[in-house]
Amino acid sequence: MTLGSPYIEVAVALPVDGAFTFSLTDALRPFAAVGKRVLAPFGSRRVTGYILGEGRPPAGDGGGYEIRHVLDILDEAPLFPPEMIPFFRWVSQYYRHPLGEVIHNALPAGLNLYDYAVETLTDAGRDALSDTDPPPLQSAVLHALADGPLTLKEIRRRLETDVSLSVVYTLEKKGWLTRSRQLKSPQTRERRERWVGSADPPPPSGNLTPARRRVFDRLLREGDMPLRTLRKDEPSASTLVKALAESGHAVLFEKAVYRDPFGDPILPDAPLDLNRAQARTVSRVGAAMAEGFSAHLLAGVTGSGKTEVYLQLADVAVRQGREVLVLVPEIALTSQMEHRFRARFGECVAVLHSSLGGGERYDQWRRILTGDAKIVIGARSAVFAPLRNPGLIVVDEEHDPSYKQERDLLYNGRDMAVVRAKLSGCVVLLGSATPSIQSYHNAVSGRSVEHVLNRRVSDRPLPEIEIVDLRRITDRFGARRFFTPPLQAAMKETLDRGEQTLIFLNRRGFATYPVCGGCGEAVRCKHCDITLTLHKAANAYKCHYCGFTRPSAAGCPVCGSAAVKLLGFGTEKVEAGVQALFPGARTARMDRDTTARKGSVLKILKDLRNGAIDILVGTQMVTKGHDFPNITLVGIVCADLSLSFPDFRAGERTFQLLAQVAGRAGRGDAPGRVILQTYNPSHFSITTARQQDFRAFYQREIDFRKALGYPPFSRLIQIRISGKDPAKTRNAAERLGDLCRSLLAADPSSRSAVAVMGPIEGSPHRVAERFRWQMLLKGTSATSLHRFVGGLQSRDPALFARGPVRVTVDVDPVNML
């Protein structure tokens, strides 16, 4: 959409609120369009901005400031359609995040230009190195710059010390350094490739050599092609083509090409026959697509064929000339879903997720933007896909907490999918075997439409779940501590039948609580208030919060004793236990340690599907939507771990984890069985998971939520305060608490609408050398909570500014620790 005004509204990629008006020179005006990037002056800097539309001309005297010209238009074509701008504005307002940074987070990484300060040694500075004796730190800085210009960050890295700005300013005042600003080029660009084609019209080929005629005839026969394709059959193709171009027989040109993120080709498939419940869902949701926005919840037991419902509804949307967005909670599931959709829809499928290379992600973005891809599959960030006319948005495994982004822009992909559907006037379908309390409450209260699939495909039975009370299992040592007699016997029977077993424990590592046998102190992280975990394969203790490691042979950090007791257990120790009990079984482990390398998840899943694994030990990664027909036994080592979390959602997450992992069993022709080991066999999260009865769980849980006023009967905003100085961080937290109380005292309407809890120390209190405090704001109205936070930010903007103490506003928090 081109612009008629010489003024444009621009959101800059900086932590500043709102958008700004800039002007266009006559030379740039024809090239300006909504969705393009500009290089704009901002203060003393040059920054990337995004054109949102026409800007308002200055009123009267210009409002006391001069409207500045943009310096350049950076794109030939827009990077996002105008239809997405209301969505960007909503995200910015709701999640209290700067608009320009929202757009920056949405776009593929590595596109933006930005400038940075560079320090250069002057001639006077070189003389100072030999003629004067500056203080040691100043001298070190001058010596660091003797080899060439550096940024302050590079100076600090080279000297391995924290060089303050005051030191640099002092050297600049002396004339020994000079500062300049340089533009950093974007890291991601369009890939272009050399192509060759025959001239039009083609000249006679009678005077060509046999080799040139052979190439020329192929171009006439097959048309334009990449030069690299020609080289495969003609090693001297480059020389031959150059000669053909000089004689006027061929034309060389460059063409933009897409980098292919997909793996092996996939054989096409056909739609499957639907059972009555599936067909009813497709019919009802498909009919709703013609009526604008509506929200739907697909509550289907594990193995009930929800993916086939998604596929057939996507077909309805594509045949209507509209686009489809499918979100999955984990990147590992993207591949599985992408395979199903590519088999059905072919090359019109695109993928978007953070594991793609920068160029691959940019190319997929362009395919979506140009309309080459009608179906987009990806993790939570794919909610920003540049679709112009979506007809269906699917959120698979909608209950999964992975849809919540925990850094920078703290959004919830599931909730944003609903908002995007509403703004686009399309259908959103949330699917899960264990819906979130929030989503199911919306269905019960009429804000969404519920569809139920209560049978597995082909009427396969749900797995039989047996509860084993760990309180009655005593005097077991070694590997037998993790495997009760019923579980051990079931594993042997499963192996004897040639079937596969899944062992689940939501805790990784070998020993989760190493304690010194000499002084009694736990082996703790150097940077966090947390115990380290022994990872035996790496021969190291690791912190699961900050990544700090220390050698396992180092002994106790307090007294130096080597007598460290390895208490607690994780998936690594359980895997070792499986190998001790069943040495002939082919065992693998699937957790964050074994899936760190790119492609490792897909390799494990492929080996499992091909029967190369007999027993798989895993964390919650194995619970998420994977379909392996030969897994007939699931063993849950300890079902109680998540129940002990100080979080009102602990019961909900426990039920979801147990029901989901149990659902991996018996998805093929053979019946499934689950052995669930627990110290709390009577807890309602355990008993309802055994019955696979989500509605019974919901009835118990919703009464608890209502009595305590927790979501869905209230809304929450968490404010986190963190800093490296404990006193300054505590003071900032207390200052924020005083500010909340004064705001409540001054505004009677806020007193009745907002409850303030805290500030209190975070748990753990110190993570990665940052001390943490938190506050919780609770209210029945999202509008009142947002107004209250806005009042806090306007009363004390310095407190919320980025500095040594960081104050973060998390709307609708998922992680309460």
Side-chain angles (χ1 to χ4, degrees):
M1 185 174 76
T2 55
L3 305 169
S5 170
Y7 299 99
I8 55 174
E9 184 185 19
V10 174
V12 296
L14 289 175
V16 291
D17 292 331
F20 301 86
T21 297
F22 288 87
S23 58
L24 293 164
T25 62
D26 291 341
L28 292 178
R29 191 169 169 183
F31 303 101
V34 172
K36 287 188 177 183
R37 293 172 303 143
V38 298
L39 184 64
F42 201 84
S44 61
R45 303 175 61 181
R46 294 167 291 176
V47 299
T48 298
Y50 312 99
I51 301 178
L52 304 180
E54 294 184 356
R56 293 183 179 180
D61 62 355
Y65 65 90
E66 177 188 359
I67 293 180
R68 304 169 73 179
H69 292 308
V70 297
L71 305 174
D72 200 2
I73 306 288
L74 300 177
D75 301 302
E76 293 183 12
L79 289 176
F80 54 85
E83 292 85 355
M84 290 190 68
I85 292 174
F87 180 58
F88 289 146
R89 293 189 191 275
W90 183 91
V91 173
S92 172
Q93 182 179 16
Y94 187 79
Y95 288 106
R96 318 293 303 181
H97 202 81
L99 178 58
E101 292 198 336
V102 168
I103 301 174
H104 174 70
N105 273 274
L107 296 176
L111 293 179
N112 285 349
L113 287 164
Y114 63 91
D115 70 357
Y116 56 98
V118 173
E119 303 295 337
T120 303
L121 190 65
T122 64
D123 291 338
R126 292 187 184 278
D127 294 339
L129 282 172
S130 55
D131 297 343
T132 63
D133 187 18
L137 186 55
Q138 292 184 17
S139 176
V141 171
L142 295 175
H143 277 94
L145 292 168
D147 295 331
L150 297 171
T151 65
L152 180 57
K153 185 176 181 179
E154 290 166 339
I155 294 172
R156 289 168 174 164
R157 187 183 300 125
R158 182 166 296 188
L159 298 181
E160 297 182 351
T161 188
D162 186 14
V163 179
S164 67
L165 277 170
S166 61
V167 173
V168 175
Y169 290 154
T170 300
L171 294 171
E172 288 177 0
K173 286 181 180 178
K174 291 180 177 179
W176 294 349
L177 299 185
T178 181
R179 172 177 294 196
S180 60
R181 303 199 74 88
Q182 298 182 5
L183 274 177
K184 184 173 179 64
S185 300
Q187 297 171 335
T188 303
R189 292 184 177 89
E190 180 179 78
R191 173 180 282 182
R192 303 190 72 83
E193 190 174 41
R194 294 187 76 193
W195 279 53
V196 59
S198 62
D200 187 19
S205 59
N207 59 343
L208 296 178
T209 65
R212 295 178 190 176
R213 183 181 294 111
R214 187 169 59 248
V215 171
F216 181 63
D217 289 344
R218 182 175 178 183
L219 294 175
L220 291 175
R221 185 173 62 252
E222 299 181 22
D224 298 349
M225 66 179 63
L227 185 55
R228 61 179 169 82
T229 302
L230 201 56
R231 285 198 198 103
K232 291 179 181 178
D233 300 321
E234 294 283 351
S236 59
S238 298
T239 303
L240 295 172
V241 165
K242 184 178 179 181
L244 287 170
E246 290 174 351
S247 64
H249 288 82
V251 178
L252 278 165
F253 57 96
E254 282 195 342
K255 185 176 180 179
V257 294
Y258 293 131
R259 285 152 280 212
D260 185 9
F262 300 116
D264 299 331
I266 295 174
L267 295 175
D269 72 359
L272 304 177
D273 293 333
L274 302 179
N275 60 34
R276 185 176 301 175
Q278 289 174 308
R280 182 171 58 246
T281 300
V282 170
S283 175
R284 291 170 63 191
V285 178
M289 289 185 194
E291 300 174 3
F293 168 72
S294 57
H296 300 257
L297 175 66
L298 180 57
V301 298
T302 55
S304 59
K306 293 185 288 294
T307 303
E308 184 63 29
V309 171
Y310 304 155
L311 287 161
Q312 298 206 17
L313 285 172
D315 184 60
V316 173
V318 170
R319 282 191 283 107
Q320 292 176 353
R322 304 186 74 180
E323 301 146 336
V324 178
L325 172 62
V326 181
L327 299 181
V328 294
E330 294 278 2
I331 292 172
L333 291 177
T334 304
S335 176
Q336 179 173 294
M337 191 70 75
E338 165 245 309
H339 275 62
R340 293 288 304 274
F341 272 81
R342 283 178 62 207
R344 189 70 54 87
F345 296 98
E347 297 306 312
C348 72
V349 177
V351 291
L352 280 179
H353 55 74
S354 58
S355 282
L356 296 178
E360 291 173 337
R361 186 176 174 89
Y362 176 58
D363 288 348
Q364 294 294 297
W365 186 274
R366 284 170 45 223
R367 288 185 63 219
I368 300 163
L369 191 60
T370 57
D372 290 345
K374 299 295 184 184
I375 298 173
V376 181
I377 298 169
R380 59 176 176 255
S381 62
V383 75
F384 292 111
L387 302 170
R388 296 178 183 274
N389 184 29
L392 173 67
I393 299 177
V394 173
V395 184
D396 190 33
E397 307 291 352
E398 65 83 25
H399 67 278
D400 199 296
S402 297
Y403 280 116
K404 177 70 173 183
Q405 169 76 15
E406 295 289 358
R407 293 187 305 169
D408 299 324
L409 173 57
L410 306 178
Y411 66 89
N412 189 307
R414 177 201 62 198
D415 298 346
M416 283 172 50
V418 175
V419 172
R420 182 154 191 199
K422 188 172 184 178
L423 293 173
S424 302
C426 75
V427 164
V428 61
L429 178 63
L430 311 181
S432 178
T434 56
S436 64
I437 295 295
Q438 180 73 55
S439 294
Y440 195 74
H441 184 72
N442 287 340
V444 170
S445 57
R447 286 192 286 272
S448 63
V449 181
E450 182 186 7
H451 307 270
V452 179
L453 305 178
N454 53 18
R455 285 183 173 275
R456 284 185 161 184
V457 294
S458 304
D459 284 331
R460 293 180 182 126
L462 289 168
E464 172 194 344
I465 301 180
E466 176 185 347
I467 291 181
V468 178
D469 188 349
L470 289 174
R471 296 173 300 181
R472 299 180 180 179
I473 307 295
T474 58
D475 301 328
R476 293 181 67 81
F477 303 96
R480 288 175 173 79
R481 286 185 302 155
F482 318 123
F483 304 102
T484 59
L487 177 55
Q488 191 174 336
M491 292 172 69
K492 185 178 184 307
E493 293 169 7
T494 304
L495 283 171
D496 291 342
R497 291 194 303 267
E499 296 165 357
Q500 293 172 313
T501 296
L502 174 62
I503 301 297
F504 170 72
L505 178 67
N506 203 24
R507 180 179 288 169
R508 63 192 176 99
F510 187 84
T512 56
Y513 192 70
V515 178
C516 177
C519 66
E521 288 290 330
V523 180
R524 296 186 174 275
C525 177
K526 181 179 179 181
H527 308 291
C528 309
D529 293 337
I530 198 73
T531 305
L532 295 175
T533 297
L534 175 66
H535 289 252
K536 202 168 186 179
N539 288 319
Y541 296 104
K542 294 184 180 182
C543 176
H544 290 177
Y545 281 80
C546 74
F548 169 75
T549 64
R550 68 190 308 267
S552 59
C556 175
V558 177
C559 70
S561 171
V564 177
K565 304 292 185 182
L566 302 178
L567 307 181
F569 59 94
T571 48
E572 194 177 15
K573 186 177 284 188
V574 171
E575 181 191 26
V578 170
Q579 293 168 342
L581 290 174
F582 304 101
R586 296 167 297 176
T587 305
R589 175 163 47 94
M590 185 173 174
D591 56 25
R592 196 178 302 174
D593 297 324
T594 61
T595 58
R597 285 186 182 177
K598 187 174 182 179
S600 55
V601 172
L602 297 181
K603 183 183 184 306
I604 293 173
L605 298 179
K606 186 175 181 179
D607 287 347
L608 194 64
R609 184 173 298 279
N610 294 338
I613 296 172
D614 297 318
I615 301 174
L616 178 66
V617 178
T619 58
Q620 64 179 353
M621 294 179 72
V622 304
T623 71
K624 301 184 178 184
H626 300 295
D627 186 11
F628 298 104
N630 203 40
I631 290 179
T632 57
L633 175 65
V634 168
I636 300 173
V637 174
C638 185
D640 313 309
L641 296 180
S642 53
L643 276 177
S644 60
F645 275 73
D647 188 330
F648 71 91
R649 295 189 182 93
E652 178 183 5
R653 288 178 180 161
T654 299
F655 172 84
Q656 289 166 344
L657 271 176
L658 298 181
Q660 288 285 342
V661 73
R664 300 314 107 199
R667 297 171 77 98
D669 295 331
R673 183 182 179 191
V674 180
I675 307 292
L676 190 158
Q677 301 178 165
T678 176
Y679 289 100
N680 293 279
S682 60
H683 193 284
F684 73 93
S685 295
I686 305 290
T687 57
T688 52
R690 178 188 186 183
Q691 298 156 3
Q692 303 216 32
D693 189 345
F694 170 76
R695 286 158 190 81
F697 169 78
Y698 172 80
Q699 291 301 328
R700 292 286 302 272
E701 181 72 9
I702 203 69
D703 291 342
F704 158 72
R705 300 279 183 96
K706 188 173 183 179
L708 297 179
Y710 280 121
F713 301 100
S714 65
R715 308 296 288 269
L716 300 177
I717 293 181
Q718 187 181 55
I719 303 180
R720 305 188 194 119
I721 308 98
S722 69
K724 291 190 174 183
D725 186 309
K728 290 181 179 178
T729 307
R730 181 189 185 100
N731 290 339
E734 292 175 347
R735 178 173 151 196
L736 182 61
D738 292 340
L739 186 61
C740 287
R741 286 183 283 273
S742 66
L743 197 60
L744 289 176
D747 184 3
S749 63
S750 292
R751 282 201 301 273
S752 60
V754 178
V756 177
M757 292 174 274
I760 61 169
E761 290 185 358
S763 177
H765 182 42
R766 183 175 60 112
V767 172
E769 296 291 3
R770 297 189 71 87
F771 296 86
R772 308 188 310 151
W773 290 72
Q774 64 182 30
M775 296 185 65
L776 196 64
L777 309 180
K778 185 167 73 168
T780 56
S781 164
T783 302
S784 298
L785 284 173
H786 279 76
R787 188 187 306 117
F788 186 78
V789 172
L792 294 175
Q793 292 173 322
S794 61
R795 278 200 175 195
D796 196 343
L799 183 62
F800 290 86
R802 297 187 182 181
V805 176
R806 190 182 306 146
V807 178
T808 304
V809 177
D810 186 0
V811 179
D812 301 331
V814 169
N815 181 11
M816 304 300 294
L817 298 180

